[in-house]
Amino acid sequence: MASNSLSASHRAAVGPALRASGRAGMAGRWAAMLGGTALGLLGARRGGWGGIALGAVGAGLFLAGATGGTLALPTGVLPAGILPRRRPHRTPERTQSVVTIAAPAEEVYRFWRNFANLPKLMPWLDRVDVLSATESQWIAKGADGEPVRWRVALDRVDENELLTWHTAGETPLPHRASLMLKPAPGDRGTEVRLTLVHRHPPAEVARLLGLTPERQAHDALLRLKQRIETGELSTLDRQPHGNRGLGLNPASRLGGVE
Protein backbone atom coordinates (compact mmCIF):
# COMPACT_ATOMS: atom_id res chain seq x y z
CA MET A 1 0.00 0.00 0.00
CA ALA A 2 1.35 3.46 -0.86
CA SER A 3 2.33 5.49 2.17
CA ASN A 4 1.22 9.10 2.65
CA SER A 5 4.63 10.15 3.90
CA LEU A 6 8.24 9.38 3.05
CA SER A 7 9.76 6.43 4.92
CA ALA A 8 12.51 6.93 7.47
CA SER A 9 15.13 5.68 5.00
CA HIS A 10 13.93 8.13 2.35
CA ARG A 11 14.04 11.03 4.84
CA ALA A 12 17.54 9.98 5.83
CA ALA A 13 18.61 10.19 2.21
CA VAL A 14 16.90 13.53 1.59
CA GLY A 15 18.11 15.21 4.80
CA PRO A 16 21.82 15.42 3.93
CA ALA A 17 20.97 16.49 0.40
CA LEU A 18 18.79 19.33 1.66
CA ARG A 19 21.54 20.53 4.03
CA ALA A 20 24.02 20.41 1.18
CA SER A 21 21.84 22.50 -1.16
CA GLY A 22 22.66 26.13 -1.84
CA ARG A 23 26.40 26.94 -2.18
CA ALA A 24 27.47 23.54 -0.83
CA GLY A 25 30.67 21.69 -1.60
CA MET A 26 31.01 19.18 -4.36
CA ALA A 27 30.38 16.23 -2.02
CA GLY A 28 27.08 17.74 -0.91
CA ARG A 29 26.07 18.43 -4.47
CA TRP A 30 26.76 14.81 -5.44
CA ALA A 31 24.69 13.68 -2.45
CA ALA A 32 21.78 15.83 -3.63
CA MET A 33 22.01 14.48 -7.17
CA LEU A 34 22.19 10.86 -6.02
CA GLY A 35 19.36 11.37 -3.55
CA GLY A 36 17.24 13.02 -6.23
CA THR A 37 17.92 10.17 -8.66
CA ALA A 38 16.95 7.58 -6.02
CA LEU A 39 13.68 9.36 -5.26
CA GLY A 40 12.90 9.69 -8.96
CA LEU A 41 13.38 5.96 -9.53
CA LEU A 42 11.28 5.16 -6.46
CA GLY A 43 8.51 7.43 -7.71
CA ALA A 44 8.54 5.79 -11.15
CA ARG A 45 8.18 2.34 -9.58
CA ARG A 46 5.45 3.42 -7.17
CA GLY A 47 3.23 5.21 -9.69
CA GLY A 48 0.08 7.15 -8.88
CA TRP A 49 -0.02 10.52 -7.12
CA GLY A 50 2.51 9.36 -4.54
CA GLY A 51 4.95 8.41 -7.27
CA ILE A 52 4.46 11.73 -9.04
CA ALA A 53 5.16 13.66 -5.83
CA LEU A 54 8.29 11.60 -5.08
CA GLY A 55 9.48 12.15 -8.63
CA ALA A 56 8.96 15.91 -8.30
CA VAL A 57 10.96 16.04 -5.05
CA GLY A 58 13.69 13.94 -6.65
CA ALA A 59 13.86 16.23 -9.68
CA GLY A 60 14.19 19.27 -7.41
CA LEU A 61 17.01 17.65 -5.45
CA PHE A 62 18.85 16.62 -8.61
CA LEU A 63 18.56 20.12 -10.08
CA ALA A 64 19.77 21.72 -6.82
CA GLY A 65 22.81 19.43 -6.76
CA ALA A 66 23.58 19.92 -10.45
CA THR A 67 23.41 23.72 -10.32
CA GLY A 68 24.68 24.24 -6.79
CA GLY A 69 21.56 26.27 -6.03
CA THR A 70 18.81 25.94 -3.44
CA LEU A 71 16.13 23.29 -3.56
CA ALA A 72 13.00 24.60 -5.31
CA LEU A 73 9.98 22.34 -5.13
CA PRO A 74 7.30 22.51 -7.83
CA THR A 75 4.06 24.20 -6.85
CA GLY A 76 1.78 21.91 -4.88
CA VAL A 77 4.54 19.64 -3.49
CA LEU A 78 4.88 19.88 0.28
CA PRO A 79 8.49 20.42 1.46
CA ALA A 80 7.90 18.33 4.60
CA GLY A 81 7.62 15.22 2.46
CA ILE A 82 3.87 14.85 3.02
CA LEU A 83 2.23 13.50 -0.11
CA PRO A 84 -1.28 14.56 -1.15
CA ARG A 85 -3.96 12.27 0.25
CA ARG A 86 -6.40 10.51 -2.02
CA ARG A 87 -10.08 10.85 -1.37
CA PRO A 88 -11.41 7.79 0.45
CA HIS A 89 -13.31 5.36 -1.78
CA ARG A 90 -16.97 5.12 -0.84
CA THR A 91 -18.31 1.58 -1.10
CA PRO A 92 -21.92 1.44 -2.38
CA GLU A 93 -24.48 0.41 0.25
CA ARG A 94 -26.46 -2.64 -0.87
CA THR A 95 -29.88 -3.56 0.58
CA GLN A 96 -32.07 -6.54 -0.31
CA SER A 97 -35.54 -7.69 0.66
CA VAL A 98 -37.38 -10.84 -0.45
CA VAL A 99 -41.07 -11.78 -0.34
CA THR A 100 -43.15 -14.68 -1.66
CA ILE A 101 -46.38 -13.65 -3.35
CA ALA A 102 -49.14 -16.15 -4.05
CA ALA A 103 -49.63 -15.04 -7.65
CA PRO A 104 -48.06 -15.70 -11.05
CA ALA A 105 -44.98 -13.71 -12.04
CA GLU A 106 -46.88 -12.07 -14.91
CA GLU A 107 -49.29 -10.35 -12.54
CA VAL A 108 -46.57 -9.13 -10.18
CA TYR A 109 -44.36 -7.94 -13.03
CA ARG A 110 -47.18 -6.10 -14.80
CA PHE A 111 -48.07 -4.10 -11.68
CA TRP A 112 -44.47 -3.07 -10.89
CA ARG A 113 -43.46 -2.45 -14.51
CA ASN A 114 -45.85 0.50 -14.60
CA PHE A 115 -43.75 2.82 -12.43
CA ALA A 116 -46.76 5.11 -12.00
CA ASN A 117 -48.06 2.43 -9.58
CA LEU A 118 -45.08 2.70 -7.26
CA PRO A 119 -46.42 5.51 -5.02
CA LYS A 120 -49.13 2.99 -4.01
CA LEU A 121 -46.33 0.81 -2.65
CA MET A 122 -44.04 3.60 -1.45
CA PRO A 123 -46.05 6.31 0.35
CA TRP A 124 -42.92 8.42 0.69
CA LEU A 125 -43.23 9.00 -3.08
CA ASP A 126 -45.56 11.81 -4.17
CA ARG A 127 -45.69 10.58 -7.74
CA VAL A 128 -43.78 9.00 -10.60
CA ASP A 129 -44.17 10.61 -14.02
CA VAL A 130 -43.53 8.17 -16.86
CA LEU A 131 -41.66 10.13 -19.54
CA SER A 132 -41.03 7.37 -22.08
CA ALA A 133 -40.70 3.61 -22.38
CA THR A 134 -37.36 3.76 -20.56
CA GLU A 135 -37.35 6.98 -18.49
CA SER A 136 -39.39 8.36 -15.61
CA GLN A 137 -39.27 11.23 -13.11
CA TRP A 138 -39.62 10.34 -9.40
CA ILE A 139 -40.73 12.96 -6.86
CA ALA A 140 -40.42 12.04 -3.18
CA LYS A 141 -41.57 13.68 0.03
CA GLY A 142 -38.38 14.93 1.62
CA ALA A 143 -37.98 14.48 5.37
CA ASP A 144 -37.63 18.27 5.72
CA GLY A 145 -40.81 18.92 3.73
CA GLU A 146 -38.99 19.80 0.51
CA PRO A 147 -39.52 17.52 -2.52
CA VAL A 148 -36.62 15.34 -3.65
CA ARG A 149 -36.50 14.64 -7.40
CA TRP A 150 -34.52 12.27 -9.55
CA ARG A 151 -34.74 10.84 -13.06
CA VAL A 152 -34.68 7.07 -13.60
CA ALA A 153 -33.55 5.15 -16.69
CA LEU A 154 -34.30 1.47 -17.26
CA ASP A 155 -31.27 -0.71 -17.93
CA ARG A 156 -32.67 -4.19 -18.48
CA VAL A 157 -36.18 -5.47 -19.04
CA ASP A 158 -36.69 -9.25 -19.04
CA GLU A 159 -40.41 -9.88 -19.27
CA ASN A 160 -41.79 -11.41 -16.04
CA GLU A 161 -38.26 -12.03 -14.72
CA LEU A 162 -36.12 -8.95 -14.18
CA LEU A 163 -36.17 -5.15 -14.14
CA THR A 164 -33.10 -3.02 -13.46
CA TRP A 165 -32.87 0.77 -13.35
CA HIS A 166 -30.59 3.60 -12.20
CA THR A 167 -30.75 7.31 -11.51
CA ALA A 168 -29.59 9.50 -14.38
CA GLY A 169 -28.15 13.01 -14.37
CA GLU A 170 -27.66 15.19 -11.31
CA THR A 171 -29.46 13.90 -8.22
CA PRO A 172 -29.04 14.20 -4.43
CA LEU A 173 -29.78 10.47 -4.16
CA PRO A 174 -27.74 8.49 -6.74
CA HIS A 175 -28.66 4.81 -6.70
CA ARG A 176 -29.50 1.76 -8.81
CA ALA A 177 -32.03 -0.97 -8.21
CA SER A 178 -33.43 -4.24 -9.50
CA LEU A 179 -36.56 -6.35 -9.13
CA MET A 180 -36.07 -10.08 -9.74
CA LEU A 181 -38.88 -12.61 -10.02
CA LYS A 182 -38.67 -16.41 -10.03
CA PRO A 183 -40.94 -19.34 -9.16
CA ALA A 184 -41.22 -19.88 -5.41
CA PRO A 185 -40.31 -23.31 -3.99
CA GLY A 186 -43.20 -25.73 -3.65
CA ASP A 187 -45.25 -24.03 -6.34
CA ARG A 188 -46.27 -21.35 -3.83
CA GLY A 189 -46.30 -18.47 -6.27
CA THR A 190 -43.54 -16.00 -7.10
CA GLU A 191 -40.42 -15.10 -5.14
CA VAL A 192 -39.76 -11.39 -5.53
CA ARG A 193 -36.38 -9.87 -4.65
CA LEU A 194 -35.88 -6.08 -4.50
CA THR A 195 -32.28 -4.81 -4.40
CA LEU A 196 -31.29 -1.19 -3.75
CA VAL A 197 -27.70 0.03 -4.11
CA HIS A 198 -27.10 3.56 -2.82
CA ARG A 199 -23.93 5.59 -3.07
CA HIS A 200 -24.69 7.27 0.26
CA PRO A 201 -24.79 5.61 3.70
CA PRO A 202 -28.23 4.58 5.03
CA ALA A 203 -28.25 7.43 7.55
CA GLU A 204 -27.82 9.97 4.75
CA VAL A 205 -30.64 8.40 2.73
CA ALA A 206 -32.85 8.51 5.84
CA ARG A 207 -31.97 12.18 6.34
CA LEU A 208 -33.30 12.95 2.84
CA LEU A 209 -36.34 10.67 2.72
CA GLY A 210 -37.19 9.92 6.36
CA LEU A 211 -36.51 6.17 6.21
CA THR A 212 -33.58 3.88 5.49
CA PRO A 213 -33.14 1.81 2.30
CA GLU A 214 -33.86 -1.32 4.37
CA ARG A 215 -37.26 0.05 5.34
CA GLN A 216 -37.93 1.25 1.80
CA ALA A 217 -37.34 -2.21 0.33
CA HIS A 218 -39.15 -4.17 3.06
CA ASP A 219 -42.21 -1.90 3.18
CA ALA A 220 -42.53 -1.76 -0.62
CA LEU A 221 -42.52 -5.55 -0.97
CA LEU A 222 -44.94 -6.00 1.93
CA ARG A 223 -47.40 -3.61 0.28
CA LEU A 224 -46.87 -5.32 -3.09
CA LYS A 225 -47.75 -8.67 -1.51
CA GLN A 226 -50.89 -7.24 0.09
CA ARG A 227 -51.92 -5.44 -3.08
CA ILE A 228 -51.54 -8.49 -5.32
CA GLU A 229 -52.97 -11.09 -2.94
CA THR A 230 -55.87 -9.12 -1.42
CA GLY A 231 -56.34 -6.10 -3.66
CA GLU A 232 -55.98 -3.86 -0.58
CA LEU A 233 -53.22 -2.10 1.30
CA SER A 234 -52.65 -2.14 5.05
CA THR A 235 -53.26 0.80 7.36
CA LEU A 236 -49.51 1.45 7.24
CA ASP A 237 -50.33 3.90 4.44
CA ARG A 238 -52.03 6.13 7.00
CA GLN A 239 -49.01 6.35 9.31
CA PRO A 240 -47.73 9.92 9.77
CA HIS A 241 -44.65 10.77 7.77
CA GLY A 242 -42.66 11.54 10.92
CA ASN A 243 -43.21 8.09 12.46
CA ARG A 244 -40.93 6.20 10.07
CA GLY A 245 -38.70 4.58 12.65
CA LEU A 246 -35.08 4.37 11.51
CA GLY A 247 -33.57 1.96 14.01
CA LEU A 248 -36.21 -0.75 14.45
CA ASN A 249 -36.22 -4.19 12.90
CA PRO A 250 -38.75 -3.92 10.03
CA ALA A 251 -40.08 -7.44 10.53
CA SER A 252 -40.85 -6.74 14.18
CA ARG A 253 -43.05 -3.77 13.25
CA LEU A 254 -44.69 -4.98 10.07
CA GLY A 255 -45.19 -8.68 10.67
CA GLY A 256 -43.41 -11.61 9.07
CA VAL A 257 -42.68 -11.49 5.35
CA GLU A 258 -41.03 -14.39 3.61
Side-chain angles (χ1 to χ4, degrees):
M1 180 180 293
S3 173
N4 284 335
S5 61
L6 296 177
S7 66
S9 60
H10 299 152
R11 290 196 297 270
V14 174
L18 288 174
R19 290 193 296 271
S21 62
R23 300 298 176 181
M26 185 59 67
R29 291 171 59 182
W30 273 110
M33 293 169 66
L34 290 173
T37 301
L39 287 177
L41 291 174
L42 179 63
R45 287 197 300 269
R46 176 173 293 182
W49 286 109
I52 293 173
L54 280 176
V57 174
L61 278 173
F62 185 91
L63 182 61
T67 62
T70 57
L71 176 64
L73 294 178
T75 303
V77 178
L78 301 178
I82 301 176
L83 304 184
R85 294 184 178 180
R86 298 180 184 181
R87 292 183 178 179
H89 176 68
R90 177 173 283 177
T91 303
E93 298 282 348
R94 185 170 180 266
T95 299
Q96 273 195 346
S97 189
V98 183
V99 66
T100 297
I101 300 177
E106 294 86 347
E107 184 178 351
V108 179
Y109 175 88
R110 186 169 60 250
F111 186 87
W112 191 286
R113 175 64 181 86
N114 182 4
F115 279 175
N117 284 329
L118 295 186
K120 301 173 184 177
L121 308 178
M122 309 172 188
W124 44 272
L125 280 176
D126 268 333
R127 72 177 191 270
V128 175
D129 298 328
V130 178
L131 306 177
S132 69
T134 59
E135 292 192 351
S136 54
Q137 178 84 12
W138 299 38
I139 303 174
K141 306 169 185 177
D144 59 359
E146 294 296 321
V148 181
R149 296 179 173 86
W150 61 89
R151 188 164 55 89
V152 162
L154 282 171
D155 297 311
R156 183 172 173 180
V157 179
D158 294 348
E159 192 81 14
N160 305 325
E161 293 181 1
L162 178 67
L163 279 173
T164 68
W165 63 94
H166 70 278
T167 53
E170 292 295 326
T171 172
L173 198 67
H175 65 277
R176 52 190 171 87
S178 68
L179 187 80
M180 181 181 295
L181 300 91
K182 66 179 183 179
D187 196 26
R188 294 186 297 132
T190 304
E191 182 181 285
V192 184
R193 183 181 303 270
L194 177 60
T195 303
L196 304 176
V197 182
H198 285 272
R199 258 185 230 174
H200 299 313
E204 194 166 338
V205 177
R207 181 182 62 80
L208 284 172
L209 298 181
L211 74 172
T212 63
E214 180 186 10
R215 288 298 307 274
Q216 292 179 33
H218 183 273
D219 289 8
L221 288 191
L222 179 62
R223 291 186 173 93
L224 178 64
K225 178 181 175 72
Q226 293 172 333
R227 182 81 183 198
I228 297 296
E229 292 183 350
T230 70
E232 300 178 354
L233 292 177
S234 73
T235 55
L236 285 172
D237 293 337
R238 296 195 291 270
Q239 286 185 353
H241 181 80
N243 288 343
R244 299 171 181 168
L246 303 182
L248 299 179
N249 181 352
S252 68
R253 298 188 65 225
L254 302 178
V257 176
E258 294 177 296

